[in-house]
Short mmCIF file of all heavy atoms in Angstrom, two decimals:
data_model
loop_
_atom_site.label_atom_id
_atom_site.label_comp_id
_atom_site.label_asym_id
_atom_site.label_seq_id
_atom_site.Cartn_x
_atom_site.Cartn_y
_atom_site.Cartn_z
N THR A 832 22.83 -102.32 101.93
CA THR A 832 22.85 -102.22 100.47
C THR A 832 22.47 -100.82 99.99
O THR A 832 22.89 -100.40 98.91
CB THR A 832 21.89 -103.26 99.84
OG1 THR A 832 20.59 -103.12 100.45
CG2 THR A 832 22.40 -104.66 100.05
N ILE A 833 21.72 -100.08 100.80
CA ILE A 833 21.31 -98.73 100.42
C ILE A 833 22.52 -97.80 100.31
O ILE A 833 22.46 -96.75 99.66
CB ILE A 833 20.27 -98.18 101.42
CG1 ILE A 833 19.53 -96.98 100.81
CG2 ILE A 833 20.92 -97.81 102.75
CD1 ILE A 833 18.34 -96.51 101.62
N ASN A 834 23.63 -98.17 100.95
CA ASN A 834 24.84 -97.33 100.92
C ASN A 834 25.68 -97.56 99.67
O ASN A 834 26.69 -96.88 99.47
CB ASN A 834 25.70 -97.60 102.15
CG ASN A 834 25.04 -97.12 103.43
OD1 ASN A 834 24.03 -96.43 103.39
ND2 ASN A 834 25.60 -97.50 104.57
N LEU A 835 25.29 -98.53 98.85
CA LEU A 835 26.09 -98.89 97.68
C LEU A 835 25.27 -98.79 96.40
O LEU A 835 24.07 -99.10 96.39
CB LEU A 835 26.61 -100.34 97.81
CG LEU A 835 27.49 -100.66 99.03
CD1 LEU A 835 27.71 -102.16 99.11
CD2 LEU A 835 28.81 -99.92 98.95
N THR A 836 25.91 -98.38 95.32
CA THR A 836 25.26 -98.41 94.01
C THR A 836 25.28 -99.85 93.49
O THR A 836 26.03 -100.71 93.99
CB THR A 836 25.99 -97.50 93.02
OG1 THR A 836 27.30 -98.04 92.77
CG2 THR A 836 26.09 -96.08 93.56
N LEU A 837 24.48 -100.12 92.48
CA LEU A 837 24.48 -101.46 91.87
C LEU A 837 25.86 -101.80 91.32
O LEU A 837 26.31 -102.95 91.41
CB LEU A 837 23.42 -101.53 90.76
CG LEU A 837 21.96 -101.57 91.22
CD1 LEU A 837 21.03 -101.48 90.01
CD2 LEU A 837 21.68 -102.85 91.99
N GLN A 838 26.53 -100.80 90.76
CA GLN A 838 27.87 -101.02 90.23
C GLN A 838 28.84 -101.42 91.34
O GLN A 838 29.63 -102.35 91.20
CB GLN A 838 28.37 -99.76 89.51
CG GLN A 838 29.79 -99.84 88.97
CD GLN A 838 29.95 -100.88 87.87
OE1 GLN A 838 29.00 -101.18 87.14
NE2 GLN A 838 31.13 -101.48 87.78
N GLU A 839 28.77 -100.69 92.47
CA GLU A 839 29.65 -101.00 93.60
C GLU A 839 29.37 -102.39 94.15
O GLU A 839 30.30 -103.13 94.52
CB GLU A 839 29.46 -99.95 94.70
CG GLU A 839 30.06 -98.59 94.35
CD GLU A 839 29.69 -97.53 95.35
OE1 GLU A 839 28.58 -97.61 95.94
OE2 GLU A 839 30.48 -96.59 95.54
N ARG A 840 28.11 -102.78 94.20
CA ARG A 840 27.77 -104.12 94.70
C ARG A 840 28.33 -105.20 93.78
O ARG A 840 28.83 -106.22 94.24
CB ARG A 840 26.25 -104.29 94.79
CG ARG A 840 25.61 -103.52 95.94
CD ARG A 840 24.14 -103.87 96.03
NE ARG A 840 23.31 -102.66 96.10
CZ ARG A 840 22.01 -102.65 95.97
NH1 ARG A 840 21.36 -103.77 95.74
NH2 ARG A 840 21.34 -101.52 96.06
N SER A 841 28.24 -104.96 92.48
CA SER A 841 28.70 -105.96 91.51
C SER A 841 30.20 -106.16 91.55
O SER A 841 30.72 -107.21 91.15
CB SER A 841 28.26 -105.56 90.09
OG SER A 841 28.96 -104.39 89.66
N GLU A 842 30.92 -105.16 92.07
CA GLU A 842 32.39 -105.25 92.14
C GLU A 842 32.89 -105.97 93.39
O GLU A 842 34.08 -106.27 93.52
CB GLU A 842 32.99 -103.84 92.10
CG GLU A 842 32.77 -103.14 90.75
CD GLU A 842 33.20 -101.68 90.79
OE1 GLU A 842 33.55 -101.20 91.89
OE2 GLU A 842 33.16 -101.01 89.73
N LEU A 843 31.97 -106.26 94.31
CA LEU A 843 32.36 -106.94 95.54
C LEU A 843 32.40 -108.45 95.32
O LEU A 843 31.48 -109.19 95.66
CB LEU A 843 31.38 -106.58 96.68
CG LEU A 843 31.45 -105.12 97.14
CD1 LEU A 843 30.33 -104.80 98.11
CD2 LEU A 843 32.82 -104.81 97.77
N VAL A 844 33.48 -108.90 94.72
CA VAL A 844 33.64 -110.31 94.35
C VAL A 844 34.88 -110.89 95.03
O VAL A 844 35.71 -110.17 95.60
CB VAL A 844 33.77 -110.46 92.81
CG1 VAL A 844 32.48 -110.02 92.14
CG2 VAL A 844 34.96 -109.65 92.29
N TYR A 845 35.00 -112.20 94.98
CA TYR A 845 36.13 -112.90 95.59
C TYR A 845 37.47 -112.30 95.15
O TYR A 845 37.69 -112.05 93.95
CB TYR A 845 36.08 -114.38 95.21
CG TYR A 845 37.26 -115.18 95.71
CD1 TYR A 845 37.31 -115.62 97.03
CD2 TYR A 845 38.32 -115.49 94.86
CE1 TYR A 845 38.39 -116.35 97.49
CE2 TYR A 845 39.41 -116.22 95.32
CZ TYR A 845 39.44 -116.64 96.63
OH TYR A 845 40.52 -117.35 97.08
N GLY A 846 38.33 -112.04 96.11
CA GLY A 846 39.66 -111.51 95.80
C GLY A 846 39.73 -110.00 95.74
O GLY A 846 40.83 -109.43 95.59
N LYS A 847 38.59 -109.30 95.85
CA LYS A 847 38.57 -107.84 95.79
C LYS A 847 39.35 -107.25 96.97
O LYS A 847 39.17 -107.64 98.13
CB LYS A 847 37.12 -107.35 95.83
CG LYS A 847 36.94 -105.85 95.95
CD LYS A 847 37.13 -105.12 94.65
CE LYS A 847 36.76 -103.66 94.77
NZ LYS A 847 37.01 -102.91 93.53
N LYS A 848 40.24 -106.31 96.69
CA LYS A 848 41.00 -105.62 97.74
C LYS A 848 40.16 -104.49 98.30
O LYS A 848 39.63 -103.66 97.55
CB LYS A 848 42.31 -105.07 97.19
CG LYS A 848 43.25 -106.12 96.60
CD LYS A 848 43.67 -107.15 97.64
CE LYS A 848 44.61 -108.20 97.02
NZ LYS A 848 44.98 -109.25 98.01
N LEU A 849 40.02 -104.48 99.64
CA LEU A 849 39.19 -103.48 100.30
C LEU A 849 39.96 -102.83 101.45
O LEU A 849 40.97 -103.35 101.91
CB LEU A 849 37.93 -104.15 100.88
CG LEU A 849 36.97 -104.84 99.92
CD1 LEU A 849 35.91 -105.60 100.71
CD2 LEU A 849 36.30 -103.85 98.98
N TYR A 850 39.41 -101.70 101.93
CA TYR A 850 39.89 -101.08 103.15
C TYR A 850 38.69 -100.90 104.08
O TYR A 850 37.60 -100.49 103.64
CB TYR A 850 40.53 -99.72 102.86
CG TYR A 850 41.87 -99.83 102.17
CD1 TYR A 850 41.95 -99.88 100.77
CD2 TYR A 850 43.05 -99.91 102.91
CE1 TYR A 850 43.16 -100.01 100.13
CE2 TYR A 850 44.28 -100.03 102.26
CZ TYR A 850 44.33 -100.08 100.89
OH TYR A 850 45.55 -100.21 100.26
N ILE A 851 38.87 -101.26 105.33
CA ILE A 851 37.80 -101.12 106.31
C ILE A 851 38.32 -100.33 107.51
O ILE A 851 39.52 -100.21 107.72
CB ILE A 851 37.29 -102.50 106.79
CG1 ILE A 851 38.44 -103.29 107.45
CG2 ILE A 851 36.66 -103.28 105.65
CD1 ILE A 851 38.00 -104.59 108.10
N THR A 852 37.39 -99.79 108.30
CA THR A 852 37.77 -99.09 109.53
C THR A 852 36.59 -99.08 110.48
O THR A 852 35.48 -99.51 110.14
CB THR A 852 38.24 -97.66 109.22
OG1 THR A 852 38.85 -97.12 110.40
CG2 THR A 852 37.07 -96.77 108.78
N PHE A 853 36.83 -98.58 111.69
CA PHE A 853 35.76 -98.45 112.69
C PHE A 853 36.19 -97.37 113.67
O PHE A 853 37.36 -97.01 113.77
CB PHE A 853 35.50 -99.77 113.42
CG PHE A 853 36.74 -100.55 113.77
CD1 PHE A 853 37.44 -100.30 114.95
CD2 PHE A 853 37.22 -101.53 112.91
CE1 PHE A 853 38.58 -101.00 115.26
CE2 PHE A 853 38.36 -102.25 113.22
CZ PHE A 853 39.05 -101.98 114.41
N GLU A 854 35.21 -96.84 114.39
CA GLU A 854 35.46 -95.73 115.31
C GLU A 854 35.74 -96.24 116.72
O GLU A 854 35.31 -97.33 117.11
CB GLU A 854 34.26 -94.78 115.33
CG GLU A 854 33.97 -94.13 113.98
CD GLU A 854 32.78 -93.20 114.05
OE1 GLU A 854 32.20 -93.05 115.14
OE2 GLU A 854 32.43 -92.61 113.00
N GLY A 855 36.43 -95.42 117.50
CA GLY A 855 36.76 -95.80 118.87
C GLY A 855 35.54 -96.01 119.74
O GLY A 855 35.56 -96.82 120.67
N LYS A 856 34.47 -95.29 119.45
CA LYS A 856 33.30 -95.36 120.33
C LYS A 856 32.52 -96.67 120.22
O LYS A 856 31.64 -96.93 121.04
CB LYS A 856 32.35 -94.18 120.03
CG LYS A 856 31.74 -94.22 118.64
CD LYS A 856 30.87 -92.99 118.40
CE LYS A 856 30.24 -93.01 117.01
NZ LYS A 856 29.43 -91.79 116.77
N VAL A 857 32.84 -97.52 119.24
CA VAL A 857 32.11 -98.78 119.07
C VAL A 857 32.93 -99.99 119.52
O VAL A 857 32.46 -101.12 119.41
CB VAL A 857 31.68 -98.98 117.60
CG1 VAL A 857 30.81 -97.83 117.13
CG2 VAL A 857 32.89 -99.16 116.68
N MET A 858 34.11 -99.76 120.05
CA MET A 858 35.00 -100.87 120.37
C MET A 858 34.74 -101.43 121.78
O MET A 858 34.26 -100.73 122.66
CB MET A 858 36.46 -100.44 120.25
CG MET A 858 36.86 -100.05 118.83
SD MET A 858 38.64 -99.74 118.65
CE MET A 858 38.82 -98.19 119.52
N HIS A 859 35.10 -102.70 121.95
CA HIS A 859 35.04 -103.37 123.25
C HIS A 859 36.43 -103.93 123.55
O HIS A 859 37.12 -104.42 122.64
CB HIS A 859 34.01 -104.50 123.23
CG HIS A 859 32.63 -104.04 122.85
ND1 HIS A 859 31.67 -103.70 123.77
CD2 HIS A 859 32.06 -103.88 121.63
CE1 HIS A 859 30.57 -103.33 123.15
NE2 HIS A 859 30.77 -103.43 121.84
N PHE A 860 36.81 -103.91 124.82
CA PHE A 860 38.19 -104.25 125.19
C PHE A 860 38.18 -105.37 126.24
O PHE A 860 37.59 -105.21 127.31
CB PHE A 860 38.90 -103.02 125.74
CG PHE A 860 38.70 -101.79 124.90
CD1 PHE A 860 37.63 -100.94 125.15
CD2 PHE A 860 39.55 -101.50 123.85
CE1 PHE A 860 37.42 -99.81 124.37
CE2 PHE A 860 39.36 -100.37 123.06
CZ PHE A 860 38.29 -99.53 123.32
#
């Protein structure tokens, strides 16, 4: 939660379109 403002948190509601990603160094195969 420290990475988000109160406004950003309030916008995270059902149906919200998001983009996510992750780095190669954290993956398992």
Side-chain angles (χ1 to χ4, degrees):
T832 52
I833 197 170
N834 292 350
L835 301 171
T836 66
L837 287 174
Q838 177 65 29
E839 287 171 330
R840 287 186 230 168
S841 68
E842 293 173 353
L843 292 172
V844 296
Y845 176 80
K847 173 79 172 177
K848 300 299 180 183
L849 300 172
Y850 288 88
I851 60 173
T852 191
F853 41 86
E854 298 180 1
K856 65 183 180 182
V857 301
M858 296 187 289
H859 303 265
F860 313 90

